[in-house]
Amino acid sequence: MSVPIVISHREAFVHVQQSSLPAFDQMLPTNRSRSVDIAELAIGYVLILAVIWTPNPAQRFLYWTAFLWIAVTSIRRWKQTKPSGLGLRGLLPSLWVAAAAAALFSLGIGLAHWAGSLHALYGPLPVLAHVGEYAIWALMQQFILQVFVLLRLLRLGMRRSMAVALSAAMFGAAHIPNPILAPAATLWAALSCILYLRYRNLYPIAVAHAFLGMCLAITIPNAINHHMRVGLGYIRYPGVHRSHLEVTAR
């Protein structure tokens, strides 16, 4: 015998609302928010590519323009991108990512030393300052990749697999024509997007990025890697000394 269950109209409405709420990265946008997301993403990516392929002094102006565009549009969308990955959520469970990258860094250093390709970091900065600067740049890149690009693609209703693939392709394209960094960046972008969607924390991913990037910087011959340059900087290497504001893959 079935037992009748009596539910008030208010209870039924609340139940339907709660059960039908989608995850934050699966919420279907309105037409207006979709258009805004597409425009913000397109303009931001075009600015990034312009920075990579433009010489100074225009490059310096475009660099700060791109920086401000990404910062302002991300802050403006902050409520829609929570959790953004800059908090403590998922930090402890994802620390293994940084540890694994540290192990790969050590392995890479050992192999490069054995092969005779190990060399010092490029530039006049002390090692600790260079590493610290690069770690901050790695965090900025991961924020752009995961928060500015990936979450926007998900808000547009794109499937996770497709959003990850497109984000990785865009990230890799920004490292053309460097033959080492372009494929490495594409693979890392896909993996880091998957890890971000799993743990929702950027810090261990950024640390892993820093370890792996530093490994490439001191193990791959500069004749191939061109001091980690991309875009116009890669093509013009070696050339006249340029400001550190010129875009590299640091």
Side-chain angles (χ1 to χ4, degrees), residues 51-52 54-64 245-247:
V51 173
I52 293 169
T54 303
N56 269 327
Q59 185 188 62
R60 188 176 290 108
F61 171 77
L62 289 169
Y63 174 91
W64 290 110
L245 283 177
E246 290 204 26
V247 170

Side-chain angles (χ1 to χ4, degrees), residues 16 69 74 104 121 131 150 164 173 176 188 220 230 242 246 249:
V16 170
W69 178 263
S74 297
L104 290 175
L121 288 169
V131 172
L150 178 64
V164 168
I176 291 172
W188 168 247
I220 303 298
V230 298
R242 293 180 287 274
E246 290 204 26

Side-chain angles (χ1 to χ4, degrees), residues 45 145 163-176 182 185-187 189-190:
Y45 191 64
L145 174 61
V164 168
L166 182 54
S167 298
M170 292 171 67
F171 193 72
H175 291 76
I176 291 172
T186 303
L187 291 174

Side-chain angles (χ1 to χ4, degrees), residues 3-80:
V3 180
I5 300 176
V6 179
I7 303 177
S8 68
H9 291 297
R10 176 178 176 79
E11 290 173 332
F13 176 73
V14 171
H15 175 74
V16 170
Q17 271 196 320
Q18 291 177 339
S19 63
S20 62
L21 285 176
F24 85 97
D25 59 350
Q26 296 174 332
M27 295 179 65
L28 293 178
T30 63
N31 288 337
R32 183 178 181 280
S33 65
R34 181 190 295 271
S35 299
V36 171
D37 267 324
I38 292 174
E40 289 178 349
L41 179 57
I43 293 172
Y45 191 64
V46 167
L47 284 171
I48 290 171
L49 294 181
V51 173
I52 293 169
W53 289 98
T54 303
N56 269 327
Q59 185 188 62
R60 188 176 290 108
F61 171 77
L62 289 169
Y63 174 91
W64 290 110
T65 302
F67 178 87
L68 289 174
W69 178 263
I70 292 170
V72 170
T73 55
S74 297
I75 292 172
R76 195 172 146 275
R77 293 280 190 158
W78 203 249
K79 289 184 178 180
Q80 295 167 287

